[in-house]
Amino acid sequence: MSFGYSVGDFIAVCELAKKVRKRFVDSQKQFTAISDEVKSLSNVLRDLEDVLPERDLIEKQKADLYTHTQGCRNVLVELERMVDKYCDLNSSPVGFSNRSRKFWEKLEWEAEDVRDLRSRITSNTTLLNAFNGSLNNKLSRTTKNGVDRLNKYQDEQECRDNVNWLTSVNFSA
């Protein structure tokens, strides 16, 4: 049994986000807000999916990524259950009583459940954006340190060249 972060866990969450996002593509206008939140989360996950193979994460970063990934997974699974519970978001029931029942179910879902889910999706998106930013900041600091070392070496080399030139002058002549 494996514990902790694995690339497979992360890829599974990316696929789940993509699957949930696709279920909202042709949904009614009232679901646009949550659809946009899921789309944002999906975009951040894709950005990280592109960046992670190029990074060597330390254990704390792996633990943070695992925690954030599990948070995303939990909210996406819950959202998927909600969508399943309220059936197809773009269905058009036949008859007045069916349309009325669907309307009230959707209204009830919007009023009670979506606010919390949207908030959790937004929180997860923000956390993953911050995590991605920290990876990029670390890369920027590493690059800056490398450039600083290179500049220092070049300055020292110029000093050595000047000293060598001065010491090569024959003063006895």
Side-chain angles (χ1 to χ4, degrees):
M1 181 178 273
S2 173
F3 295 98
Y5 166 78
S6 79
V7 175
D9 294 335
F10 186 79
I11 291 172
V13 171
C14 291
E15 291 301 316
L16 179 59
K18 185 177 177 181
K19 179 181 170 186
V20 171
R21 182 179 53 83
K22 283 183 177 182
R23 293 197 59 190
F24 281 96
V25 168
D26 293 325
S27 65
Q28 296 175 1
K29 189 175 183 179
Q30 74 187 68
F31 298 104
T32 302
I34 194 148
S35 175
D36 290 344
E37 299 295 339
V38 173
K39 186 176 182 179
S40 295
L41 178 61
S42 182
N43 289 338
V44 171
L45 286 167
R46 276 196 320 247
D47 289 347
L48 275 169
E49 187 177 28
D50 292 342
V51 168
L52 285 175
E54 301 168 3
R55 303 289 193 276
D56 291 326
L57 301 181
I58 61 174
E59 289 306 313
K60 179 171 179 0
Q61 290 172 323
K62 287 179 184 179
D64 289 346
L65 181 60
Y66 177 76
T67 301
H68 301 327
T69 301
Q70 288 306 107
C72 291
R73 184 190 160 290
N74 293 342
V75 73
L76 288 168
V77 165
E78 190 173 333
L79 179 59
E80 189 174 40
R81 282 188 198 132
M82 299 288 288
V83 172
D84 290 342
K85 179 180 176 184
Y86 293 105
C87 301
D88 191 10
L89 295 176
N90 61 358
S91 65
S92 51
V94 179
F96 178 77
S97 65
N98 285 337
R99 272 186 252 142
S100 176
R101 183 179 53 79
K102 270 294 195 202
F103 170 77
W104 286 109
E105 284 177 350
K106 289 177 182 177
L107 185 63
E108 180 181 310
W109 185 45
E110 179 72 30
E112 293 177 9
D113 303 321
V114 172
R115 261 182 262 123
D116 178 55
L117 288 171
R118 282 188 63 204
S119 174
R120 290 173 52 203
I121 292 169
T122 301
S123 295
N124 282 299
T125 302
T126 303
L127 287 169
L128 286 172
N129 265 328
F131 181 80
N132 193 18
S134 73
L135 292 178
N136 290 332
N137 285 341
K138 181 182 177 190
L139 179 63
S140 295
R141 284 190 307 271
T142 303
T143 302
K144 181 189 179 308
N145 290 340
V147 169
D148 289 346
R149 281 195 320 270
L150 183 61
N151 284 335
K152 183 179 177 184
Y153 175 80
Q154 193 173 17
D155 290 343
E156 290 171 353
Q157 184 63 40
E158 285 179 21
C159 287
R160 282 190 297 273
D161 289 345
N162 288 336
V163 168
N164 288 339
W165 176 77
L166 286 174
T167 57
S168 68
V169 175
N170 187 354
F171 291 106
S172 61

